[in-house]
Amino acid sequence: MSQPNIPNITPTISITPGQTIPLLLASVALEELALAHIINAEAEKIQFVLGTLSTDIKLSPSVVSLSNLLDLDKSVQRTLRDVIKKEMLLEFKFENILDLIDVTPKLNG
């Protein structure tokens, strides 16, 4: 079996420490926005099953069983648990950015 041939990739990126802070903050904001969309989708999923979402499709109570509702609840709980985990990681990332902000004026000065 031959060894993989990995090319020597050396991209040149010239970003000052001062330019990285807005980019890092924007990445946190975009991830927060994505998580907000996931939470909204989970809420709409519940609203749809309960028949409170404005849509042309309506489920009758006979279609939605207790078992279906419990499965839905378990699914939403799992998703929200994952969102919470991601929120914690974003908080750590944000705290690191704040630390970087404290150091950056010294680097630019």
Side-chain angles (χ1 to χ4, degrees):
M1 182 181 285
S2 64
Q3 295 293 323
N5 183 10
I6 301 173
N8 184 13
I9 301 172
T10 54
T12 304
I13 300 172
S14 60
I15 298 176
T16 67
Q19 292 170 322
T20 60
I21 293 170
L23 291 172
L24 290 169
L25 288 173
S27 74
V28 170
L30 290 172
E31 288 183 78
E32 290 287 358
L33 181 62
L35 292 175
H37 283 290
I38 291 171
I39 292 169
N40 186 60
E42 292 301 302
E44 287 184 354
K45 186 190 320 181
I46 294 169
Q47 289 173 327
F48 175 76
V49 170
L50 295 178
T52 58
L53 184 67
S54 297
T55 180
D56 294 336
I57 303 169
K58 295 290 182 197
L59 298 177
S60 67
S62 62
V63 174
V64 181
S65 67
L66 179 59
S67 176
N68 296 137
L69 290 175
L70 292 174
D71 288 343
L72 172 68
D73 181 62
K74 187 184 294 184
S75 170
V76 171
Q77 280 186 21
R78 257 194 318 268
T79 301
L80 292 181
R81 188 179 320 117
D82 291 340
V83 168
I84 290 168
K85 290 175 188 175
K86 184 65 176 175
E87 284 287 352
M88 292 170 63
L89 293 175
L90 284 174
E91 182 179 356
F92 295 146
K93 183 177 179 180
F94 183 67
E95 289 170 357
N96 288 339
I97 295 168
L98 292 179
D99 291 341
L100 182 62
I101 290 172
D102 290 340
V103 174
T104 301
K106 296 173 190 163
L107 294 174
N108 288 338

